[in-house]
Amino acid sequence: MRKVVGGLFITVDGVVESPDQWSFDLFDEDFGAHMGTVLAATDTMLLGRNTYTEWVDYWPTSTDEPFAGHINSVRKYVVSDTLDEVGWTNATLLRGADLATTLAELKRQPGNTIGTAGSPTLVRRLLEADLLDELELMIYPVVAGKGARLFTDNGLLHRLDLVDTTRTGSGIVINTYRPA
């Protein structure tokens, strides 16, 4: 059975917003190799509305390889209750759909990992609904000081088991968690 993996770039103070402002200078060979492994294992992506609207303006015409080719060709499911349509190749809108039922169906189908990229609101929603099989936090040695954070003060407690940790040469710590 396939698994659903939420993956996010995050600062040590928990900021996930605007990683373009604090991540690129630390993207080293080790991290590139890790991202290559993630890409190779992922054949379906879940995107929230904000990530979709940002990405659809950039990736379809990007030459930033190997990422552009993969992102453009992979199956994409856009989770949104406000969009009316999605116009990107291989993209399907999940509007008003029962996310748990859709993910259960996708997990039963043959294939590789179902991953999120960006989409912190969606990752939080998946975690709160116990729909994530793994949470991968790529923690940058940066204090952003401001910006949207992954976790909000909603009072929900989630215990996680750390199942893997890796440190890149530039100091990015990649922690993989599973629900406890």
Side-chain angles (χ1 to χ4, degrees), residues 89-110:
T89 303
N90 297 323
T92 301
L93 178 62
L94 298 179
R95 181 185 169 114
D98 180 358
L99 187 56
T101 301
T102 301
L103 284 179
E105 290 171 11
L106 288 173
K107 287 175 74 168
R108 282 191 298 271
Q109 295 174 2

Side-chain angles (χ1 to χ4, degrees), residues 31-68:
F31 192 70
H34 173 74
M35 292 306 297
T37 301
V38 169
L39 287 179
T42 303
D43 64 2
T44 305
M45 295 178 84
L46 297 173
L47 301 172
R49 180 189 51 83
N50 290 335
T51 300
Y52 169 78
T53 56
E54 290 173 8
W55 282 25
V56 75
D57 288 338
Y58 178 77
W59 288 112
T61 59
S62 174
T63 58
D64 185 8
E65 294 300 344
F67 306 106

Side-chain angles (χ1 to χ4, degrees), residues 48-50 52-53 78-86 93-96 125:
R49 180 189 51 83
N50 290 335
Y52 169 78
T53 56
V78 181
V79 180
S80 173
D81 290 326
T82 59
L83 291 174
D84 292 321
E85 62 184 21
V86 292
L93 178 62
L94 298 179
R95 181 185 169 114
R125 181 176 169 189

